[in-house]
Amino acid sequence: MSHVHSAVPQEDQDPPRWNWREVVARYQTPSARRSIWQLCSTLGPLLVTLFLMYFAFAVGYWLVLLLGAIAGGFLVRTFIIMHDCGHGSFFRSKRANDIVGFITGVLTLTPYVQWRRDHAIHHATSGDLDHRGLGDITTLTVREYLSLSTWKRIKYRLYRNPLVLLGLGPVWLVVEQRLKTKSSAGPKEVWSVRATNLTLLALFAATSMLIGPTKVLLIYLPAFMVAGASGIYLFYVQHQFEETYWAQHAEWDYATAAIRGSSYYRLPAVLNWFTGSIGLHHVHHLSPKIPNYRLRRCHEENPAFHEVRVLTLWESIKTLGLKLWDEENRRMVGFGHLRRLRSGAVPSA
C-alpha cells in the first residue's frame, strides 16, 4: 500500500499546526468562465449521448447499454457540478449556484436543497463516532457489532455487501430522497423534494409523449445505475480505507478528519475528468469552497497535502472487504477480523 511522502516531517504537518485556512483561501474563488465551460462540456455531451441511445435501438439494445455507460459517466460529472453548487463553490452568485444545482439535481434524480443539507452535515461530522448516520455510509465499531442480535448482524452484513451497496444502493437512495418530506426536514428541504418530484414527473410525461415511457426508462435507467453505483463507490473509497480516521467527539478534530479520514483516490486521467477530481478528497474535505477544477492545483502546490493516504484503482477494490472500525487498533477491519479476535490471534493496540 503506497503513500505519498513530502520532505516536511509528519509532526509539522498535522492540520491543526499549520494555517490551513489561509492556504486554502487562495483557491476558493470560482472562475465563471471555467464553470460555464464545465457546464457546457458536461450537459451538452450528456444530452447528445442520451439522444444517440434512442437511435441505437435500431442497432440493438447492447449498443444502448454501451452508450448508457458513457452517459453514466456524464451523469457522475453532472452530479459533481451539483455537488459544487451545494457548497457554493461553482459560482460566486448564490442564486446561480441554486439554479444550476436544482437543474443538475433533477438530471441526477436528487433533491438539491435536501441533499445540500445532508451533505453539509456529513462534512461537519465526518470521522466523528458520536455523530454518525446522516450523509455517510453506516459504519459500526467492532464492539457495537458484537453487541447486536443475530438478525441485526445479518442486516448489517447485507447492507455492507458490495452487491447490495452498489446494486441496490442507487435505487434505495432515490426512494429515500422521495420520502424526506416530514418534520425531520425544514420547509426549504421539503419544497426541494416536492419541486424535484414534480419536475421529474413533467419531464417523464413530456419525453414519454415523444418516444414512449418504455424507451424513456430503457434509456435513462442504465445510465443512472452506472452513475449511482459509481457515485456510491467513490464515496465509499474516499472514507472507508484501512487507516482512515474515526474518533469520539471529545477527541475529534475537523482538519485532522479531513486530511487523515479522506483518501487521495488517484484515478486515470479520463476517470479523473468524469469525476471532477473528487479523488482529491482530502483537499475537498478541508475546504469544500474550492471548486473542483482547483483541487489539483491546491494539492500540488502545498506539501502539507502530500502526507495523505493514496489509493490506486486496484487498491480501492480491496477496501470493499473492510466492514468495521476497530477502536482498539484504530483501523478498519473485515469480518474475518472477528474470527481472529475470538481465537486470540489479534493483539490489542
Side-chain angles (χ1 to χ4, degrees):
M1 292 188 177
S2 59
H3 297 258
V4 173
H5 295 284
S6 74
V8 182
Q10 174 62 37
E11 59 269 18
D12 294 331
Q13 293 198 91
D14 285 346
R17 299 189 184 187
W18 51 280
N19 192 356
W20 58 269
R21 289 182 179 85
E22 182 178 312
V23 170
V24 300
R26 299 197 297 266
Y27 305 89
Q28 291 177 343
T29 304
S31 162
R33 180 183 61 81
R34 293 187 68 175
S35 293
I36 291 171
W37 168 245
Q38 190 171 82
L39 196 60
C40 294
S41 64
T42 301
L43 298 190
L46 170 63
L47 295 178
V48 168
T49 307
L50 293 173
F51 189 70
L52 291 175
M53 289 173 73
Y54 170 70
F55 288 100
F57 278 99
V59 178
Y61 195 58
W62 64 269
L63 183 56
V64 177
L65 293 176
L66 183 62
L67 290 169
I70 299 173
F74 286 117
L75 277 179
V76 170
R77 191 164 165 84
T78 301
F79 187 90
I80 293 297
I81 291 175
M82 186 205 73
H83 168 268
D84 274 20
C85 289
H87 285 299
S89 64
F90 202 64
F91 293 109
R92 295 190 187 191
S93 164
K94 182 180 184 302
R95 183 176 179 81
N97 279 319
D98 289 347
I99 291 172
V100 173
F102 178 79
I103 293 170
T104 50
V106 167
L107 292 173
T108 56
L109 308 187
T110 307
Y112 166 68
V113 176
Q114 172 63 51
W115 177 88
R116 181 179 65 186
R117 171 184 174 271
D118 289 352
H119 192 62
I121 293 173
H122 160 69
H123 270 265
T125 61
S126 180
D128 189 332
L129 285 170
D130 295 322
H131 294 88
R132 286 170 285 168
L134 187 59
D136 57 13
I137 291 174
T138 302
T139 304
L140 297 180
T141 67
V142 170
R143 187 180 297 108
E144 289 168 341
Y145 176 81
L146 292 175
S147 69
L148 295 178
S149 65
T150 300
W151 171 236
K152 288 184 177 180
R153 289 187 190 184
I154 292 173
K155 286 200 297 183
Y156 183 74
R157 282 177 175 262
L158 285 173
Y159 168 77
R160 298 287 301 211
N161 185 289
L163 294 178
V164 174
L165 202 62
L166 303 179
L168 297 180
V171 178
W172 169 243
L173 279 177
V174 171
V175 173
E176 182 189 35
Q177 288 168 348
R178 308 279 83 76
L179 300 175
K180 289 188 175 179
T181 57
K182 298 182 180 180
S183 58
S184 60
K188 289 183 179 180
E189 287 76 23
V190 171
W191 175 87
S192 172
V193 175
R194 291 175 177 168
T196 302
N197 291 347
L198 288 173
T199 306
L200 285 171
L201 285 173
L203 278 174
F204 181 71
T207 51
S208 294
M209 290 175 64
L210 291 173
I211 64 175
T214 301
K215 282 192 175 178
V216 172
L217 294 174
L218 289 176
I219 288 172
Y220 184 78
L221 289 182
F224 171 76
M225 289 303 295
V226 168
S230 300
I232 291 174
Y233 184 67
L234 279 170
F235 191 78
Y236 178 96
V237 167
Q238 287 158 353
H239 297 289
Q240 297 279 318
F241 50 98
E242 185 176 358
E243 311 91 340
T244 192
Y245 174 90
W246 285 98
Q248 300 294 335
H249 183 68
E251 303 172 352
W252 180 85
D253 176 76
Y254 172 83
T256 305
I259 296 295
R260 296 182 183 169
S262 304
S263 66
Y264 171 15
Y265 190 24
R266 187 156 45 190
L267 292 168
V270 64
L271 295 182
N272 189 61
W273 186 87
F274 276 113
T275 58
S277 299
I278 200 63
L280 291 155
H281 212 59
H282 57 302
V283 181
H284 168 66
H285 253 262
L286 194 62
S287 178
K289 288 290 186 180
I290 299 177
N292 69 80
Y293 46 78
R294 297 199 194 282
L295 292 173
R296 180 166 298 281
R297 182 181 171 191
C298 182
H299 169 80
E300 291 178 349
E301 291 182 350
N302 297 281
F305 285 122
H306 299 175
E307 193 69 33
V308 64
R309 180 65 173 93
V310 178
L311 287 175
T312 63
L313 197 58
W314 170 246
E315 285 175 331
S316 72
I317 297 173
K318 299 177 184 178
T319 67
L320 291 171
L322 303 174
K323 313 291 185 181
L324 301 163
W325 175 249
D326 182 349
E327 289 185 274
E328 290 190 3
N329 294 288
R330 303 186 68 80
R331 62 190 181 97
M332 289 292 296
V333 297
F335 290 126
H337 176 82
L338 301 178
R339 292 190 293 271
R340 295 190 293 273
L341 195 65
R342 294 189 188 99
S343 68
V346 179
S348 297

